[in-house]
Amino acid sequence: MGGDEILTFTVETILKYGARIMIVFMIIPLHEFAHAWSAHKMGDPTPRLQNRLNLNPFNHIDPIGGLMILVSGFGWGRPVQVNPNYFKKPRKGMALSAAAGPIANVIAAVVGVIIYKVMYYAYYANPSDVLFWMTLLFRFFTQINLGLAIFNLIPIPPLDGSKILSYFTSYKIDRKIEQYSLYIMIGFVLLVFSGLLDRPLGAVNDALFWIIDKLTFWVDPIMRSIFGL
């Protein structure tokens, strides 16, 4: 490996960890705040009483989950406690409050793609290492956000997807899932660390990135006009 290749590898590695740090201190709080805000809006005072209606990272970061994001790009925040008894329709309320977190990740990914495009066109108009690195940083930032959204939507307890799924299932099925939740979770963790999910999750991530890229098509002509490309 030549000197330039080593430098490129080192910079990309630093940027990946930089994006993960941004996720831990900016997006995990946003994800958990979205859960808290949606539950609060539907009548549950629990998140407010537990001081979760804010973006203070120290109220939302789970030490182990945050470390997992830094190490692997996947992890979790400190779960927001929700009391479905306050909801007019408890199952629907739980599903909506659970969906709010991944939706926040997708919104953050859209913002990430827009900034990525701005950096991309700025780089081509005036090439510099800093602009190139910023372009890579926000691509990593976007991909991690999409990865977290996809990961959390998997219908395995205690992920958000399991609460969304419960809106469509019966109480009998819910009890069965709860009964075997520990075994399901252990099996799922082993599956994640085996790497068998890497390819399908990566394919979904790429597909979502492509969709967001197309939905933000309006950014491209604006940037071309601004930078004279």
Side-chain angles (χ1 to χ4, degrees), residues 113-124:
V113 165
I114 292 172
I115 298 175
Y116 161 77
K117 288 187 174 187
V118 172
M119 295 296 109
Y120 175 86
Y121 285 106
Y123 170 76
Y124 270 89

Side-chain angles (χ1 to χ4, degrees), residues 20-203:
R20 291 174 184 180
I21 291 171
M22 290 172 65
I23 295 295
V24 170
F25 287 97
M26 294 172 56
I27 303 305
I28 290 300
L30 178 65
H31 178 104
E32 299 302 334
F33 168 78
H35 287 311
W37 180 84
S38 58
H40 172 73
K41 285 297 182 180
M42 289 185 288
D44 183 8
T46 309
R48 177 179 57 80
L49 295 174
Q50 295 185 343
N51 196 28
R52 303 302 297 275
L53 285 173
N54 56 67
L55 293 172
N56 183 346
F58 298 104
N59 290 340
H60 298 290
I61 294 173
D62 177 271
I64 297 176
L67 182 62
M68 286 294 295
I69 290 177
L70 291 177
V71 171
S72 66
F74 286 102
W76 55 89
R78 187 160 65 88
V80 173
Q81 295 184 11
V82 175
N83 187 343
N85 292 323
Y86 286 103
F87 300 146
K88 292 180 180 179
K89 296 181 179 180
R91 292 170 75 84
K92 182 179 180 180
M94 286 298 292
L96 290 174
S97 62
I103 289 172
N105 285 118
V106 173
I107 292 172
V110 171
V111 173
V113 165
I114 292 172
I115 298 175
Y116 161 77
K117 288 187 174 187
V118 172
M119 295 296 109
Y120 175 86
Y121 285 106
Y123 170 76
Y124 270 89
N126 186 22
S128 70
D129 288 342
V130 172
L131 288 173
F132 178 71
W133 296 338
M134 291 296 290
T135 302
L136 278 181
L137 176 67
F138 279 97
R139 185 175 181 90
F140 293 145
F141 173 84
T142 300
Q143 289 174 326
I144 296 172
N145 264 295
L146 291 176
L148 288 173
I150 295 163
F151 184 77
N152 275 288
L153 286 172
I154 296 174
I156 298 292
L159 299 178
D160 297 328
S162 65
K163 299 180 182 69
I164 297 171
L165 177 65
S166 68
Y167 177 67
F168 302 98
T169 58
S170 65
Y171 286 105
K172 182 179 180 180
I173 293 176
D174 291 347
R175 285 194 296 270
K176 283 291 183 182
I177 293 174
E178 185 178 357
Q179 182 181 353
Y180 295 103
S181 61
L182 179 60
Y183 303 104
I184 293 171
M185 185 171 63
I186 292 173
F188 177 66
V189 169
L190 292 174
L191 190 61
V192 168
F193 281 100
S194 72
L196 292 175
L197 292 178
D198 290 353
R199 182 170 293 181
L201 291 180

